Amino acid sequence: MAAPETNKPNNDELYKRATRLTLLFLIIYATTQYFTAFQPSPLSYSAFKEQVAAGAVKKVSIKNETITGEFASPASGTGNQPATFKVILPPIDDPGLIPLLEEQGVEIAAEPTEMSVVMRVIVGVVPWLLLLAFFVYSSQLMQKRMGGGSGGILGFSRSKARRHEQETIHIGFDDVAGLDQAKQDLREIVDFLKTPEKYLRIGAKMPRGLLLMGPPGTGKTLFAKATAGEAGVPFFSISGSEFIEMFVGVGASRVRDMFEQARKAAPSIIFIDEIDSVGRVRGTGLGGGNDEREQTLNQILAEMDGFEPEEAVLILAATNRPDVLDPALLRPGRFDRKLVLELPEMAAREKILQVHTRKVPLADKDCLRDIASRTVGMSGADLENLVNEAALKAARDDRTEVSVQDFEYARDRVVLGSEREEVLGEEEKKRIAFHEAGHAITAYRMKHSDRLRKVSIIPRGRALGITEQMPEEDRHNFTQEYLEEKISIFLGGRLAEQLIYGDVSTGAADDLKQATLIARKMVAHWGMNEELGPVSFPQSEEHPFLGRDIAEQRNFSEDTLKMIDREVVALIRKCEQATEALLEKNRTDLNRLATALLEHETLEESDIIKLLD
Ligand code: ADP
Ligand code: MG
Ligand code: ZN
């Protein structure tokens, strides 16, 4: 990305200003010096008193510590001009001076105490200069805080929406992998932006606003830029969160300014990233009933309404919280078109990997497909990170090509966390081996479960060991059988410990949590329970993208709640029995797998197949 165009004063400009000020200062100083310099050179005090005593002085004028005066007789060679003199008074009072002057009949005048010209300049100008410097400094600071953008003290309300000229955006739809549907939807708009006349001629109106929604890292920002690049139009972007840190009243004027700029540059694209930070439902008091935010949002709404139909300005916005947006934003005429960017599927993941490995030398060109199949649930940003981790690993090991093993390493690190340098005791290790073997055997023997990819007893992240399964294809729908097996697999670790040692350990806490979560959803959410029937009883609801809980009100009876709890336990008990029987039956396999794990620590899919079949 090229540097954004700004009209903020750069260092050179500031330097010039400072030089000018200094020069002005010097001129004033020199002028005052000039006038002081041309005054008569001072007479000594004693010489002055002698002159007075001799009656040679006609009049004096006393000001501060200086006395100026005229001699009675004109100076030689100056015609009738009286000769003047100047005396500096000693700092100690001389009580005899006034009587002496009076005695000699010298005319005495006194002038009010006054500062010297230089002092006057300093006292009069310096405070102002300081004040000015302070203003300049603080406005610079303000601009820096707001990321720069406009010039001068008064320019701070100018939009900081960065303007990217068409040539500064070098990415197009080719740089966005997958998202074919979204690209298809935008082609028409891109065409409108390229040749507005064609559409306007037949009275077609351009869609005004388009909202990109999707989980973080799915390429919303990237896609907006690519759209501008594809259409070859100016691109103005601002992030909603930037509005928030601004001063009161500034957000709204920035919006006004950005829209004004975009209108002038039409056809153009405005991009408001993270719009949820300004576009939350108004009046909810979230974020402290933020007036500033509401004003900003209102300004956005007003600007969007103010467009003439023939103005070719497209407003893109992105959010990963579409559920919190103010309905006014989604009204027809505003962001009435919506595009959902989902987490990439297998094929899209492969394409994203291809895009990001363009500059990465690969040992095996065909490995990307395999990697794509093992990165279910990763976003575009995750995949980009994965490629980078793999390249880092290869470089660390002084290799010139990135291999499948590097990707494996990177993936394990990203997904499972780094390996922990922990020394476990023999007994503990053995128990973990049996625990993981229990998960693995259950997974391996269950009919509907996902492929078993890896078992390891090397502690990683928070886990003491891992059993990894990965579906061949992305799954969108789960059958009751599949889910029950899933619960069984989670219970397998604990049950293997029970079988071998006759007791259980705390190592299964996370397994139980997962199993219970699935069971609860089956019972209360997916209508998979005979007793309760096909009814959905809202539990605390998870956010569709973030996996975060959204509080929801319970609107069913206490009795139902009890019943749900009872049925969840019953379901888990049922799965437990099935798993127990399965492990009992496969006890030799369990032993064999645990022994192999103790020996090798990590077993890959192929090793497991060899061992168990
Ligand atoms: P979002 O705005 O949705 O959170 P970004 O657009 O910032 O995500 O994406 C982050 C990075 O992930 C991008 O810079 C890009 O490198 C990568 N990325 C995400 N989706 C894709 C995609 N479909 N194709 C290529 N790269 C992608
Ligand atoms: Mg983004
Ligand atoms: Zn476990």
Side-chain angles (χ1 to χ4, degrees):
M1 210 71 15
E5 177 207 304
T6 68
N7 48 350
K8 179 188 161 201
N10 52 19
N11 280 341
D12 268 9
E13 181 78 15
L14 280 180
Y15 182 72
K16 263 188 225 159
R17 269 188 221 168
T19 323
R20 246 176 277 154
L21 268 179
T22 321
L23 220 67
L24 189 74
F25 216 3
L26 279 177
I27 291 171
I28 295 171
Y29 184 75
T31 319
T32 55
Q33 282 301 301
Y34 176 84
F35 284 116
T36 13
F38 275 77
Q39 280 176 6
S41 56
L43 213 61
S44 77
Y45 186 64
S46 42
F48 162 67
K49 274 182 103 171
E50 269 169 32
Q51 294 288 339
V52 175
V57 175
K58 190 173 153 211
K59 60 178 175 183
V60 293
S61 155
I62 305 172
K63 189 171 112 189
N64 290 352
E65 71 279 23
T66 47
I67 298 177
T68 46
E70 283 174 19
F71 291 115
S73 52
S76 52
T78 50
N80 280 339
Q81 283 282 316
T84 60
F85 65 89
K86 182 180 165 188
V87 181
I88 308 290
L89 281 170
I92 301 154
D93 257 2
D94 180 358
L97 180 61
I98 302 292
L100 177 69
L101 290 169
E102 279 174 343
E103 197 181 298
Q104 292 298 329
V106 179
E107 192 184 330
I108 305 172
E111 282 181 39
T113 307
E114 221 179 281
M115 284 176 282
S116 70
V117 188
V118 179
M119 273 306 280
R120 229 182 303 159
V121 168
I122 289 173
V123 171
V125 174
V126 167
W128 292 106
L129 277 179
L130 283 177
L131 212 62
L132 187 75
F134 173 73
F135 263 116
V136 170
Y137 174 73
S138 59
S139 81
Q140 296 291 330
L141 206 68
M142 213 144 52
Q143 280 176 13
K144 222 176 275 166
R145 266 188 48 185
M146 302 192 291
S150 48
I153 300 164
L154 301 171
F156 65 83
S157 75
R158 292 277 304 281
S159 174
K160 87 171 266 215
R162 284 154 296 207
R163 180 175 169 165
H164 297 277
E165 290 294 347
Q166 56 193 71
E167 51 275 1
T168 65
I169 291 197
H170 296 297
I171 59 170
F173 283 165
D174 285 345
D175 299 278
V176 184
L179 302 178
D180 295 325
Q181 188 55 50
K183 284 183 202 167
Q184 199 51 46
D185 284 3
L186 267 178
R187 284 249 151 72
E188 174 196 297
I189 300 180
V190 165
D191 195 45
F192 194 116
L193 288 169
K194 273 182 171 162
T195 50
E197 321 78 51
K198 185 167 96 187
Y199 289 81
L200 293 171
R201 211 165 36 221
I202 58 164
K205 274 186 228 149
M206 191 177 83
R208 183 59 60 215
L210 188 135
L211 184 65
L212 301 165
M213 356 193 239
T218 41
K220 298 180 293 294
T221 309
L222 180 76
F223 195 63
K225 280 186 188 148
T227 306
E230 195 73 16
V233 297
F235 181 67
F236 301 86
S237 80
I238 190 157
S239 172
S241 57
E242 287 164 24
F243 287 128
I244 303 304
E245 60 189 54
M246 286 171 194
F247 301 95
V248 180
V250 174
S253 71
R254 294 224 151 169
V255 169
R256 203 178 312 125
D257 220 74
M258 177 172 68
F259 275 77
E260 195 186 304
Q261 276 187 55
R263 274 200 174 105
K264 273 188 210 142
S268 60
I269 290 181
I270 289 176
F271 178 49
I272 307 172
D273 208 352
E274 297 162 45
I275 195 172
D276 47 281
S277 52
V278 276
R280 273 165 193 271
V281 180
R282 284 169 290 186
T284 52
L286 278 169
N290 196 334
D291 270 354
E292 172 65 3
R293 218 195 57 220
E294 289 198 5
Q295 277 179 22
T296 310
L297 176 57
N298 287 339
Q299 190 65 41
I300 292 175
L301 298 178
E303 291 290 345
M304 289 188 78
D305 289 344
F307 278 109
E308 299 297 328
E310 67 273 11
E311 278 178 294
V313 178
L314 173 69
I315 297 130
L316 292 175
T319 180
N320 48 29
R321 300 293 313 270
D323 54 316
V324 299
L325 288 186
D326 197 301
L329 270 172
L330 307 174
R331 215 204 55 190
R334 289 168 184 162
F335 292 103
D336 50 354
R337 288 218 187 174
K338 295 165 197 74
L339 262 185
V340 180
L341 307 190
E342 302 279 6
L343 284 174
E345 305 263 307
M346 163 106 176
R349 285 198 300 275
E350 192 182 344
K351 281 187 204 147
I352 293 173
L353 286 169
Q354 278 163 5
V355 167
H356 290 290
T357 49
R358 274 180 197 161
K359 288 188 193 133
V360 178
L362 296 176
D364 172 14
K365 292 274 174 232
D366 301 324
C367 72
L368 294 183
R369 161 163 286 265
D370 190 42
I371 295 157
S373 81
R374 303 189 65 171
T375 45
V376 175
M378 280 199 181
S379 69
D382 293 333
L383 292 169
E384 185 186 13
N385 183 28
L386 180 79
V387 171
N388 191 45
E389 284 280 343
L392 282 175
K393 166 81 174 146
R396 242 194 332 264
D397 296 353
D398 279 329
R399 273 177 283 113
T400 51
E401 281 178 330
V402 181
S403 67
V404 184
Q405 284 73 36
D406 295 323
F407 279 105
E408 284 284 326
Y409 171 89
R411 195 199 59 119
D412 286 353
R413 189 166 173 176
V414 171
V415 176
L416 308 168
S418 312
E419 291 183 3
R420 275 193 280 152
E421 299 283 331
E422 212 156 356
V423 189
L424 295 174
E426 273 314 304
E427 254 326 289
E428 211 171 8
K429 231 167 151 182
K430 201 169 154 199
R431 193 183 264 271
I432 295 166
F434 273 105
H435 178 107
E436 293 308 325
H439 285 307
I441 297 282
T442 321
Y444 195 72
R445 295 293 179 217
M446 289 284 179
K447 285 194 274 310
H448 305 273
S449 84
D450 300 323
R451 264 167 76 183
L452 183 60
R453 302 280 187 152
K454 183 190 278 209
V455 189
S456 162
I457 55 165
I458 300 170
R460 278 173 178 281
R462 276 176 50 233
L464 291 171
I466 51 141
T467 299
E468 198 200 352
Q469 285 180 279
M470 188 68 76
E472 259 141 286
E473 281 299 325
D474 308 63
R475 284 181 187 262
H476 303 281
N477 201 7
F478 305 101
T479 63
Q480 189 172 350
E481 256 177 314
Y482 173 87
L483 292 167
E484 282 180 12
E485 289 188 359
K486 197 114 190 128
I487 295 175
S488 290
I489 295 164
F490 277 123
L491 296 174
R494 179 187 146 98
L495 289 172
E497 286 184 53
Q498 174 97 57
L499 189 68
I500 303 297
Y501 293 95
D503 70 349
V504 290
S505 71
T506 54
D510 223 50
D511 297 338
L512 296 185
K513 195 171 154 193
Q514 302 281 354
T516 312
L517 203 75
I518 297 174
R520 195 165 274 283
K521 284 210 160 169
M522 288 173 71
V523 171
H525 228 80
W526 295 321
M528 292 174 177
N529 182 271
E530 282 297 319
E531 291 297 310
L532 284 153
V535 185
S536 173
F537 301 104
Q539 307 277 297
S540 76
E541 183 71 74
E542 266 190 10
H543 185 271
F545 301 140
L546 300 177
R548 210 185 282 153
D549 277 355
I550 303 169
E552 210 174 327
Q553 209 167 6
R554 179 165 69 85
N555 52 359
F556 46 89
S557 71
E558 204 68 37
D559 286 346
T560 312
L561 202 63
K562 275 189 195 142
M563 209 152 119
I564 291 173
D565 289 342
R566 212 176 48 229
E567 288 303 310
V568 167
V569 177
L571 175 58
I572 293 182
R573 281 277 178 220
K574 186 181 125 193
C575 295
E576 190 182 23
Q577 274 170 14
T579 316
E580 231 171 340
L582 185 140
L583 286 175
E584 204 90 63
K585 212 174 110 199
N586 290 283
R587 199 171 172 147
T588 34
D589 278 353
L590 183 68
N591 272 315
R592 215 185 296 159
L593 193 57
T595 314
L597 271 174
L598 278 170
E599 190 183 340
H600 304 288
E601 293 201 319
T602 299
L603 297 176
E604 299 289 337
E605 190 176 9
S606 51
D607 307 325
I608 300 168
I609 293 173
K610 234 182 283 166
L611 204 71
L612 297 184
D613 277 333

